[in-house]
């Protein structure tokens, strides 16, 4: 746990907070990190909103920037950079919980708050999150835009690998407003994001 605390830049007064933050459901009969995860989710969103408000953004700007900075993909990246994915205390047997990695960051942020107070938690979040991320969630944006126009939701195809040998070139199509848009990427998730971005920009600018 000392290596993790060094990576976090915070030394816990009560190490049980950190242990609980890294313990997944089923790994310990006494506790797990689910409640900390819930608290951390709200805490991170609050700190991010405060920062963007201080930066002078309006309501729409704050919402858009939060979506780019505080999402599962962003939290997964920071969790891995801190080594939280390797420090997770997992239940025995097969394990396949993709949400566990981003949730670990949320739980650790909450653990720091409970152990050291708001000032320490805020400093940790501001120090570790990448607030310069410009990523836009076009999958969500496309769905929201279509819902606002009372149009049917987009329909995505399953990814098709058109690569050869060791080269992978996945293709995903999306149908929206009667049109079909094609996305490509190194995996199906990337191809889906590309298809959604192409559709959103073509239909909504």
């Amino acid at each position: 746990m000392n290596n993790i605390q060094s990576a976090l830049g915070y030394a816990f007064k009560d190490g049980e907070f950190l242990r609980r933050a890294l313990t997944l459901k089923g790994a310990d009969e006494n506790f797990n990190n689910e409640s900390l995860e819930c608290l951390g989710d709200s805490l991170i969103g609050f700190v991010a909103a405060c920062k963007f408000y201080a930066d002078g953004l309006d309501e729409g700007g704050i919402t858009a920037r939060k979506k780019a900075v505080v999402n599962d993909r962003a939290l997964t990246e920071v969790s891995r950079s801190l080594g939280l994915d390797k420090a997770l205390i997992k239940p025995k047997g097969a394990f396949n919980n993709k949400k566990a990695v981003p949730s670990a960051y949320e739980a650790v942020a909450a653990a720091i708050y409970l152990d050291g107070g708001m000032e320490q938690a805020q400093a940790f979040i501001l120090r570790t999150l990448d607030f310069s991320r410009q990523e836009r969630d076009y999958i969500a944006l496309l769905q929201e835009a279509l819902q606002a126009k009372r149009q049917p939701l987009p329909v995505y195809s399953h990814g098709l690998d058109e690569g050869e040998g060791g080269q992978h070139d996945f293709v995903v199509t999306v149908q929206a407003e009667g049109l079909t848009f094609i996305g490509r990427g190194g995996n199906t998730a990337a191809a889906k994001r590309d298809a959604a971005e192409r559709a959103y920009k073509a239909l909504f600018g």
Side-chain angles (χ1 to χ4, degrees):
M1 291 294 180
N2 288 334
N3 289 338
I4 286 296
Q5 293 187 73
S6 177
L8 299 178
Y10 178 79
F12 280 83
K13 296 187 285 290
D14 184 349
E16 281 299 287
F17 279 121
L18 178 58
R19 184 172 182 273
R20 180 168 184 165
L22 296 173
T23 302
L24 301 181
K25 186 176 182 180
D28 190 302
E29 63 181 19
N30 296 314
F31 57 67
N32 58 64
N33 68 0
E34 288 188 335
S35 59
L36 287 176
E37 171 194 333
C38 181
L39 175 60
D41 176 60
S42 297
L43 178 64
I44 294 165
F46 172 72
V47 171
C50 286
K51 182 190 185 306
F52 295 135
Y53 176 82
D55 288 343
L57 299 183
D58 59 14
E59 178 186 2
I62 292 172
T63 299
R65 295 299 297 125
K66 277 183 62 183
K67 283 185 177 181
V69 172
V70 186
N71 58 57
D72 279 354
R73 193 153 50 248
L75 298 188
T76 294
E77 290 175 5
V78 69
S79 279
R80 287 176 174 163
S81 72
L82 295 170
L84 299 182
D85 57 322
K86 294 181 176 62
L88 287 172
I89 302 170
K90 305 173 184 178
K92 295 180 180 179
F95 177 79
N96 184 23
N97 182 358
K98 294 181 180 179
K99 179 65 176 172
V101 177
S103 296
Y105 180 79
E106 296 171 333
V108 165
I112 292 174
Y113 165 71
L114 294 173
D115 185 74
M118 185 63 187
E119 185 175 343
Q120 291 289 347
Q122 184 176 26
F124 166 72
I125 294 166
L126 292 175
R127 182 175 64 251
T128 55
L129 268 190
D130 181 6
F131 286 93
S132 66
R133 286 179 69 100
Q134 296 296 325
E135 177 182 4
R136 301 187 71 188
D137 186 351
Y138 283 101
I139 294 174
L141 287 172
L142 178 61
Q143 179 170 316
E144 291 167 3
L146 290 170
Q147 286 177 320
K149 294 180 64 177
R150 300 185 183 279
Q151 293 292 316
L153 295 180
V155 177
Y156 295 90
S157 68
H158 295 293
L160 177 64
D161 189 353
E162 293 188 347
E164 296 181 359
Q167 298 295 320
H168 297 283
D169 183 24
F170 287 88
V171 176
V172 169
T173 62
V174 58
Q175 294 181 338
E177 291 198 351
L179 300 175
T180 299
F181 303 89
I182 300 173
R184 295 180 180 274
N187 53 50
T188 54
K192 181 177 180 179
R193 290 195 298 271
D194 184 51
E197 180 177 354
R198 292 174 184 275
Y200 181 83
K201 288 182 176 179
L203 296 173
F204 303 104

